[in-house]
Amino acid sequence: MTKGAASKQAEVVLVGCGCPLRGMGWYHAVQMLGNEVPHAKLAYVVEPWFMGAGASGPGGPEFTEFQKESEAAHGVGFHTSLADLPPVDDGAKRLALISGRTADNPRLMSEAIKAGCLTIYLEKPGAPTVTELEAMKKEAADTGATILMGYNKNVCKYVTKARAFASTVDDGHVTFISNNTYEPTAESLGECFERNAEGMLKNMAIHELALLVSFYDVSVDNIDSVTADKDFSSMQTLKGPSGKDWTDFDKIKFTIKTKNGNEVSVQADRCGGDTSYATVTNTAGEELFRHSMPDEEDKANVSVLEAKYPGAMPYFFSQDPDYITVKDRVGNFCANGVEAEGIATIDIACETLKVAEYLVPVLQEQLK
């Protein structure tokens, strides 16, 4: 029998928990431990950093406390490597949710497959480069594993509603706007640039690029033009905590036209606040429609979560329902073979990363 999981649930191995209140992996964990994801049961956590060299550093004591609570209350097994996991029980379906550093993903995926995980949930962007992600795609295909991506905006309400509205008007232009809550200081952005060293387009704005690939026929081969909004956009070179210089966009806005006639815009701002949204405008630039995340319904949920997890990253709360949806659909696919509707595949992830790699030098050149 699956470790602690009902027969219709995937046995989840969370790889990369991170620090409580800050790590995305931790938030995945508490959602599953709270029985909020019907088809996913957290069975194991693999956390080499906080169970190793990081145990006594920042976040270490908080992680140790979380580990003790999870072991005692939920019977979760904690390990420092995937190789330490016990064999998969007969009838169990093991799912790896990989939420570590992007650069570690290729190795972690290989180790997860060896540990009996035939479904892999990869956080965006999947790998640092297209070459690595395509190698991962081949390895999964060769071993019979399925990779699905944590592009939660593919299933979220504001995207669905904006696309639906745009389909009802002639020449409606959609813009996807993504915001983060970093302070507009060299120290705050420098830390952000260093921690997200793959860059904004492969990190924060990769969700929007996945929407473009999924729903607007955007691919490197199908892009006709890219136009940066120079008045909005900003690129900076800043020192990270290590003292090293990092160059990245702190905010960017651009419009892509495809060869088959689609036109769509993306706007991302590291210091724009905690609301992301989509707009539909007409040919005169007048706004016809806007739907935000969080909306009024979401805000009530955010208030509950703020009280439950004081001090946690604000974006966890606004995207809370979407994280549940993605995990549940991937879990249901793993456990029961039900198609994971709307969830980005490894093919979409590969094309999304190709688009990101294509756009960075194009946009940098336009902003010089």
Side-chain angles (χ1 to χ4, degrees):
M1 191 61 198
T2 312
K3 182 181 187 296
S7 59
K8 298 294 184 185
Q9 290 181 303
E11 175 188 276
V12 178
V13 181
L14 174 64
V15 186
C17 177
C19 176
L21 302 181
R22 294 197 68 79
M24 185 66 239
W26 167 82
Y27 201 71
H28 284 307
V30 296
Q31 285 189 323
M32 289 185 281
L33 294 176
N35 296 318
E36 295 167 52
V37 188
H39 295 102
K41 176 77 174 181
L42 182 62
Y44 303 101
V45 171
V46 175
E47 177 48 68
W49 173 248
F50 284 120
M51 291 176 70
S56 58
E62 291 89 338
F63 175 82
T64 302
E65 185 63 30
F66 172 71
Q67 179 182 344
K68 287 176 182 171
E69 288 173 9
S70 302
E71 287 171 336
H74 303 282
V76 177
F78 281 74
H79 301 278
T80 55
S81 83
L82 282 150
D84 296 338
L85 291 175
V88 183
D89 290 340
D90 287 345
K93 299 291 179 69
R94 188 175 279 180
L95 161 64
L97 197 171
I98 299 178
S99 186
R101 294 187 316 162
T102 301
D104 296 333
N105 282 359
R107 171 179 60 82
L108 292 173
M109 190 201 75
S110 296
E111 293 175 4
I113 291 171
K114 290 188 180 78
C117 302
L118 287 183
T119 305
I120 312 290
Y121 174 131
L122 267 189
E123 283 292 10
K124 51 82 181 166
T129 65
V130 171
T131 303
E132 289 167 290
L133 197 58
E134 290 190 326
M136 293 165 73
K137 174 183 166 182
K138 182 179 186 304
E139 181 183 350
D142 290 347
T143 54
T146 300
I147 302 175
L148 294 166
M149 303 297 300
Y151 281 119
N152 58 291
K153 289 185 181 177
N154 274 34
V155 302
C156 77
K157 190 168 28 176
Y158 80 98
V159 170
T160 306
K161 286 182 179 291
R163 290 178 55 227
F165 181 87
S167 70
T168 68
V169 294
D170 293 334
D171 298 321
H173 183 89
V174 176
T175 303
F176 295 111
I177 295 97
S178 177
N179 289 314
N180 270 172
T181 52
Y182 292 92
E183 292 295 319
T185 63
E187 183 182 21
S188 176
L189 286 169
E191 189 277 333
C192 169
F193 287 8
E194 182 164 295
R195 185 160 41 83
N196 303 297
E198 60 266 34
M200 182 195 260
L201 288 185
K202 286 189 179 182
N203 176 264
M204 174 186 173
I206 198 83
H207 283 282
E208 283 65 40
L209 298 185
L211 295 175
L212 272 50
V213 171
S214 299
F215 305 125
Y216 293 90
D217 302 325
V218 171
S219 66
V220 172
D221 292 339
N222 198 34
I223 290 174
D224 184 49
S225 68
V226 179
T227 308
D229 181 331
K230 295 180 184 179
D231 292 334
F232 179 88
S233 303
S234 166
M235 184 170 65
Q236 298 191 54
T237 299
L238 299 169
K239 287 198 185 308
S242 69
K244 184 179 174 184
D245 283 343
W246 300 90
T247 299
D248 197 3
F249 307 107
D250 54 291
K251 54 181 183 173
I252 188 76
K253 184 176 182 180
F254 57 90
T255 298
I256 290 180
K257 293 181 180 177
T258 65
K259 292 173 183 174
N260 61 332
N262 292 333
E263 186 175 321
V264 62
S265 298
V266 169
Q267 174 181 312
D269 187 346
R270 286 288 191 191
C271 309
D274 57 6
T275 300
S276 293
Y277 57 99
T279 61
V280 182
T281 50
N282 62 18
T283 50
E286 297 163 335
E287 189 174 300
L288 305 176
F289 176 90
R290 174 185 293 219
H291 197 92
S292 298
M293 177 187 71
D295 62 13
E296 291 309 312
E297 181 184 7
D298 299 331
K299 284 176 183 173
N301 186 44
V302 167
S303 298
V304 171
L305 293 168
E306 284 174 342
K308 190 175 180 182
Y309 304 116
M313 297 296 278
Y315 72 86
F316 293 162
F317 305 149
S318 57
Q319 300 182 53
D320 172 85
D322 307 319
Y323 294 141
I324 290 172
T325 299
V326 175
K327 278 196 293 295
D328 196 52
R329 290 182 189 175
V330 175
N332 201 11
F333 169 80
C334 176
N336 306 305
V338 176
E339 182 187 352
E341 184 186 349
I343 306 303
T345 62
I346 185 68
D347 294 310
I348 287 173
C350 286
E351 190 57 52
T352 299
L353 207 49
K354 285 180 188 173
V355 169
E357 291 188 356
Y358 170 83
L359 288 176
V360 171
V362 171
L363 293 169
Q364 284 178 336
E365 184 63 30
Q366 291 188 27
L367 294 183
K368 280 183 180 173

